[in-house]
Amino acid sequence: GQNIDQPTEMTATEGAIVQINCTYQTSGFNGLFWYQQHAGEAPTFLSYNVLDGLEEKGRFSSFLSRSKGYSYLLLKELQMKDSASYLCAPWDSNYQLIWGAGTKLIIKP
Amino acid sequence: GAVVSQHPSRVICKSGTSVKIECRSLDFQATTMFWYRQFPKKSLMLMATSNEGSKATYEQGVEKDKFLINHASLTLSTLTVTSAHPEDSSFYICSARDIAGDTGELFFGEGSRLTVL
């Protein structure tokens, strides 16, 4: 079966760094997306990884290990506006996005 | 970046009526659009894949006669919730993939919150 595993909730302090892990099992693999979703809003694209390694984009970085079925999203210099849910979504062999429930990130001052 | 517009953002209707939600790609063409439903604190649930010029592909458990999808052009897909009931109240989100894009990134509409009284 297809499965996504992310922590349900995480808490971090403003200005700090946080890493959100994601493990996945899919039927085939064509890359993995990370999306940010604020409550009551649609998701917004953060990153896409298809090769192993780290992709850096400003304060956000995403890492992928295809052999381990593992990815993480790294957020640096946390700001209050980063409080949101972060969704890990791999693409399976049919280019279908498989959505997990997401990780709710709470930022405290 | 590419923009997907969804309308209406909020709609309240009476039980038994039908509601139409529009999803438009404003600056790109999308042969495929996706319709999702999301319950509070839950993951996005793919309802159907909307294909321009052909019938939509529905996920298991989604009633095609209940949720009518029409993808009449490369920039517009509509979802009609027919004979809506309170249990249909939810957040409906569409997304589209730019056929010219190379990453296959999905662009999401703003979402439509449906409340059925």
Side-chain angles (χ1 to χ4, degrees):
Chain A
Q2 311 212 86
N3 186 60
I4 311 298
D5 193 22
Q6 295 179 244
T8 306
E9 189 174 292
M10 299 181 70
T11 303
T13 306
E14 191 176 15
I17 300 173
V18 71
Q19 178 174 312
I20 302 174
N21 295 323
C22 169
T23 57
Y24 61 89
Q25 291 176 308
T26 55
S27 302
F29 181 77
N30 282 298
L32 183 143
F33 292 84
W34 281 95
Y35 282 86
Q36 179 191 62
Q37 186 178 27
H38 287 98
E41 298 180 11
T44 55
F45 171 81
L46 290 178
S47 69
Y48 171 68
N49 293 65
V50 66
L51 299 176
D52 289 350
L54 188 68
E55 294 273 346
E56 297 187 73
K57 192 183 290 186
R59 293 190 299 116
F60 293 3
S61 302
S62 56
F63 172 84
L64 175 68
S65 169
R66 289 171 296 174
S67 62
K68 295 181 180 178
Y70 168 70
S71 175
Y72 68 72
L73 181 69
L74 190 72
L75 295 80
K76 303 175 185 176
E77 301 168 19
L78 287 170
Q79 301 174 11
M80 297 303 292
K81 66 178 182 179
D82 296 330
S83 291
S85 287
Y86 291 86
L87 309 172
C88 162
W91 234 354
D92 71 7
S93 57
N94 295 318
Y95 291 93
Q96 186 96 297
L97 275 180
I98 311 302
W99 296 94
T103 298
K104 183 178 180 181
L105 178 62
I106 300 169
I107 310 296
K108 295 186 175 180
Chain B
V3 176
V4 174
S5 175
Q6 197 171 330
H7 178 81
S9 58
R10 291 179 182 273
V11 56
I12 301 172
C13 69
K14 293 182 179 180
S15 186
T17 61
S18 294
V19 174
K20 180 186 283 189
I21 302 170
E22 292 187 348
C23 179
R24 293 180 185 273
S25 56
L26 297 185
D27 51 1
F28 67 97
Q29 293 183 325
T31 54
T32 303
M33 292 185 175
F34 303 90
W35 286 96
Y36 298 87
R37 183 173 180 177
Q38 188 174 36
F39 295 100
K41 300 181 181 180
K42 296 290 185 183
S43 175
L44 292 170
M45 183 192 80
L46 179 65
M47 298 175 64
T49 302
S50 170
N51 303 297
E52 188 267 336
S54 65
K55 292 183 180 180
T57 304
Y58 288 82
E59 296 300 302
Q60 192 172 10
V62 178
E63 299 175 61
K64 57 183 68 176
D65 295 329
K66 172 78 172 175
F67 300 99
L68 300 178
I69 291 172
N70 183 277
H71 193 153
S73 76
L74 286 172
T75 58
L76 173 65
S77 176
T78 60
L79 168 69
T80 302
V81 183
T82 62
S83 187
H85 291 284
E87 58 264 31
D88 298 325
S89 297
S90 192
F91 191 47
Y92 293 88
I93 307 173
C94 74
S95 69
R97 181 171 291 135
D98 185 352
I99 60 176
D102 57 359
T103 66
E105 177 187 344
L106 280 180
F107 300 97
F108 285 84
E110 307 94 327
S112 299
R113 185 163 299 284
L114 170 64
T115 303
V116 184
L117 303 176

